Every structure is written in C-alpha cells, then in structure tokens.
Amino acid sequence: MSVASKSIDFAGKNLVSCGCSSNASFDRYSVRNYAKVNSKGWGSNHGTRKWVCYKRKSTQCRVSSMKTAEPTVNGGTLAIKGLTEGLDLKNYSETPISPASLFEVVADDLQTLNKNLQSIVGAENPVLMSAAEQIFSAGGKRMRPALVFLVSRATAELLGLKELTVKHRRLAEIIEMIHTASLIHDDVLDESDLRRGKETVHQLFGTRVAVLAGDFMFAQSSWYLANLENIEVIKLISQVIKDFASGEIKQASSLFDCDVELDEYLIKSYYKTASLIAASTKGAAIFSGADSSITEKMYEYGKNLGLSFQVVDDILDFTQSAEQLGKPAGTDLAKGNLTAPVIFALEKEPKLRDIIESEFSETGSLDDAIKLVKSCGGIERARELAKEKADLAIQSLQCLPQSAYRLALEDMVTYNLQRIA
C-alpha cells in the first residue's frame, strides 16, 4: 500500500550515466578495500570508469542509466522494493549494516575531521570548547560529514579528480559544526536532559553557556563558510541555518494541533533535518566540479534520505525503550509534537484526538495515546512513508558510476530502514 504524500518541490533533472560491459564481475568487498587503500587517490586509471559493474550471487550487473530503481548489487534498492511490496528487509540483507562498515571507505577522512574540529571551534574559548566537546563525544555517528566525503569521492570519480580538495574537507567540518550547534539549541528549546544517553550541554553548563556555545559555533561555521568563496555553496548552507529557525517556529506553532497535515510535517522535517543533509550532499558535488544535473541529483538524494531518517526516528520514539533511545520514549508526543505515526493514527481513531487535545492532563493518558498510535496502524503507515522516501533517495544515485562510495551511499539508505525492520 502506498502512502499518498506530495513531494516537496525542488529542482531535479533526469540523468543518464555511462554504461558498461555486462561481463564485468568485481566483488564489492575487494572494491571497497581498493577504495579504502586508495582513499587519497584513485590511481592512474581513475578516469576510465572500470568499476562500473559488480555481481552479488546471481544478480546481474546493472547499467546506472535506469530511470527507475533496479536491484543493486548490495541489495539496497532491492531491499526497499521488497519492503514496499510487503516483504521483509532481512530477506535481502545478508548481514546487518553498521555505521562503522558504512563509513569504512572514508575512515581516514573522518579521522582527519575529528582532529580538525577542536582547532576549528577554537582553543581560545575553553568553556565553549568544553561545551562543544560534550556533544562531539556523545556517540554521534558523524553521518553528515561522512556523506560529504562519500559524495565528494563518488562525484570526483566522475570528473577524474585524484584527491579531495581543501574545500571538500572544510565543507565537512562546517556541516558538523552547524549540526552540533543545532543540537545544542534543540536541547535547550526542548528542555531535554539527555542526548544519546549523556547529559545535555545546558544541563552541565547552564542555559546561558549552551545558547552561547551554539551561537558561537554557528558564527564560526559561517566565517569558515564565507572563506570558501563559493557563492552557490554559501547561499546553500546559509539557507540551512534559516531553515533550522523556520522548522522550530513551525513546530512550536503546531504543538498539540491534531489538524496538522502530513505535508506540513514533511516540510517541518525538511527544515529541521533534511535541509542540512541535502545541502551537504549537493555542496560536496559542487566542489567536485559536477554539473547542475549531478548536483541536483545529489540534493535529491540528501533530501529524501534526510526525510526517511526523520520518519524512522519518529517511529523509534514509539517502538524503542528509553535505554535504546538515550531519552524517554514518547518524548515528542508528550510535548505535543505530532509526528508521522500520530498523524496517520489520528485518521482512524477519534479518541486519540481527545487525549492529545487534553494535553495528557489525566494520569496514564500518554501511555493510552501511545497504545492507540500502535494499534491504529500509525507505525505501519509511517514505515511505508520512510520506504517511499528511501526509494527516491536510491533512484537519485543512478547518475553515479559504480564504486565503493556509491555502494556506501546505497547502504546508508538500507541501514536506515534496517532500524525499523
């Protein structure tokens, strides 16, 4: 069953990539190892695109010019196709995907990023540095800068670049600083005590320091952004910071509003989550020198991956324990933030509306609301929405040549869905 939802309109073009010999038979793991060894360069044959096809068991190789998503060698698109047809993701994914394996091919890039973040934030501000360190060390996966590196290397392959530029690396650092600043501010606004199982910055240092730490990191990232001297990327990332504020305002103005529509939820989710991921992936392609058709596809990939991630996070808020979440379960609903599972459940259960509009004034009413969301199909329909966005993300990667980096980008989509499989 397909979840009916309108797409957020952003420019994107159909794209056809080069083909390959159907007799090619490279193993994905050897290719990944090759990429890891050569993460600082692709060798003398980097422009010949010899990695276009791989095989996985009996799956034949695929030319990356298909307009619709076909089974990929790593099971990414096939897994999503299976899910949309009511099949189990586990039937298509032989082993669970971990963040560590996803980012293995850019592990050296991420290690360099981790070393640079401290100096970029600024040692002359020890209190702010301590506050930033609290969240830098709170177990984050560095997903956003990893995506910058993966797209940078995948698109560089198209254009014959042997190494990432300084601007690629600086962009990844800027993205992580902006993300960290947004988390610090989010925790203040949401009055959250825990972030990934650790005390939040404002709990440890106070609200004043937390707000200043977030402001400082936004300002510092903006300064480094300006020094990139690329007006397209500057506009792109500046819009993200504006989107954060727009998302918070949208959320604050619709608390406990049972008439909120799915499109409004998706726009808010774009502002708060997908905008930064989309800017990360598009900005990476821009610095590789890719043309607009490629950069727009990378934008679409990041946007739909980000939306899918947000929907999955909102599902997990109902299905995981406080220990797994690193915060109390049902937190969003308790604060009146109505997410996809709730919006879908409201269509079927009038009683849920009454409980929410009472703002959980009666003892046990929050638990009752959570049970209704689960029993009325809200979780299942939200899963379908996450899968739809994931499928769109996979389709946007068709423009890239096959490589270990593209495989990792596809695996990122599958990893996200595995969280709710």
Side-chain angles (χ1 to χ4, degrees):
M1 175 181 176
S2 176
V3 176
S5 65
K6 298 177 183 176
S7 297
I8 303 170
D9 287 331
F10 294 95
K13 298 180 177 66
N14 288 329
L15 187 63
V16 175
S17 182
C18 64
C20 63
S21 168
S22 61
N23 294 322
S25 59
F26 297 96
D27 180 81
R28 67 182 295 216
Y29 298 105
S30 62
V31 172
R32 276 190 167 154
N33 289 335
Y34 178 86
K36 186 179 180 183
V37 171
N38 291 276
S39 63
K40 296 182 180 180
W42 285 273
S44 59
N45 292 325
H46 59 267
T48 59
R49 298 179 186 171
K50 292 185 178 180
W51 300 350
V52 178
C53 292
Y54 312 100
K55 68 176 182 178
R56 178 176 181 267
K57 293 187 176 178
S58 61
T59 304
Q60 293 183 341
C61 69
R62 167 178 51 77
V63 178
S64 60
S65 62
M66 300 295 183
K67 292 183 180 179
T68 57
E70 294 293 329
T72 61
V73 292
N74 64 330
T77 309
L78 183 57
I80 298 163
K81 182 179 179 182
L83 278 165
T84 57
E85 293 174 355
L87 300 178
D88 195 324
L89 175 63
K90 294 176 182 176
N91 293 338
Y92 295 90
S93 188
E94 294 175 353
T95 57
I97 298 171
S98 68
S101 65
L102 281 175
F103 304 150
E104 185 179 3
V105 292
V106 290
D108 291 342
D109 296 324
L110 288 172
Q111 188 174 8
T112 301
L113 174 130
N114 288 334
K115 291 177 181 177
N116 289 344
L117 281 174
Q118 286 190 1
S119 61
I120 289 176
V121 171
E124 73 277 9
N125 295 280
V127 175
L128 297 182
M129 188 64 226
S130 297
E133 268 299 299
Q134 172 65 14
I135 199 161
F136 280 147
S137 63
K141 297 181 287 292
R142 299 284 192 267
M143 182 187 84
R144 289 155 189 82
L147 285 171
V148 171
F149 292 133
L150 289 171
V151 172
S152 296
R153 292 195 176 277
T155 52
E157 168 72 7
L158 274 173
L159 296 149
L161 294 180
K162 293 184 179 180
E163 179 53 289
L164 299 188
T165 66
V166 172
K167 291 184 176 182
H168 280 127
R169 299 189 183 279
R170 184 64 81 202
L171 175 64
E173 294 156 1
I174 289 168
I175 292 298
E176 184 64 7
M177 278 197 295
I178 291 174
H179 176 57
T180 301
S182 73
L183 294 182
I184 294 172
H185 281 179
D186 278 354
D187 289 338
V188 172
L189 290 170
D190 296 341
E191 299 178 345
S192 299
D193 297 334
L194 296 174
R195 164 71 61 178
R196 301 173 186 138
K198 291 191 175 184
E199 284 187 290
T200 53
V201 172
H202 71 91
Q203 277 291 106
L204 286 175
F205 300 94
T207 300
R208 180 182 177 84
V209 170
V211 171
L212 289 173
D215 288 348
F216 175 78
M217 293 187 73
F218 274 129
Q220 191 82 326
S221 62
S222 297
W223 188 85
Y224 280 106
L225 178 63
N227 280 277
L228 291 176
E229 297 183 344
N230 182 300
I231 192 64
E232 186 177 7
V233 174
I234 291 171
K235 287 181 177 180
L236 188 66
I237 306 300
S238 298
Q239 181 64 43
V240 169
I241 299 175
K242 176 176 174 288
D243 287 344
F244 281 149
S246 297
E248 289 296 341
I249 292 168
K250 264 190 169 298
Q251 180 170 299
S253 63
S254 60
L255 295 178
F256 298 101
D257 180 5
C258 293
D259 292 319
V260 65
E261 296 182 355
L262 183 63
D263 285 350
E264 295 175 77
Y265 161 80
L266 288 172
I267 291 170
K268 181 199 71 176
S269 297
Y270 171 79
Y271 284 155
K272 294 194 64 176
T273 302
S275 176
L276 178 60
I277 297 175
S280 303
T281 50
K282 182 177 180 178
I286 290 172
F287 283 137
S288 292
D291 63 38
S292 60
S293 60
I294 301 283
T295 62
E296 288 304 324
K297 286 293 184 182
M298 294 304 96
Y299 181 87
E300 288 295 314
Y301 168 80
K303 181 190 76 174
N304 287 299
L305 175 64
L307 290 173
S308 183
F309 252 93
Q310 185 58 60
V311 175
V312 169
D313 279 347
D314 292 338
I315 291 170
L316 294 177
D317 196 43
F318 288 94
T319 61
Q320 287 192 333
S321 65
E323 290 75 20
Q324 291 172 307
L325 291 169
K327 62 179 182 178
T331 298
D332 283 331
L333 180 57
K335 293 177 179 178
N337 179 26
L338 308 190
T339 56
V342 181
I343 293 170
F344 287 128
L346 280 167
E347 295 176 6
K348 292 189 175 182
E349 182 52 72
K351 184 180 178 182
L352 180 59
R353 172 185 286 267
D354 296 335
I355 297 174
I356 292 173
E357 288 180 344
S358 74
E359 300 188 11
F360 311 109
S361 56
E362 296 183 12
T363 303
S365 58
L366 177 60
D367 290 336
D368 291 340
I370 292 174
K371 290 175 183 176
L372 286 173
V373 170
K374 293 178 178 179
S375 65
C376 292
I379 303 298
E380 288 73 17
R381 292 188 64 193
R383 280 196 178 103
E384 292 169 6
L385 177 60
K387 294 161 197 170
E388 285 189 7
K389 297 304 178 185
D391 199 28
L392 291 172
I394 286 285
Q395 289 182 44
S396 297
L397 295 175
Q398 302 291 319
C399 62
L400 298 177
Q402 287 283 13
S403 70
Y405 310 110
R406 172 174 162 176
L407 288 174
L409 291 168
E410 292 175 347
D411 276 348
M412 174 68 77
V413 180
T414 307
Y415 161 74
N416 180 47
L417 293 182
Q418 281 185 342
R419 298 193 296 152
I420 53 170

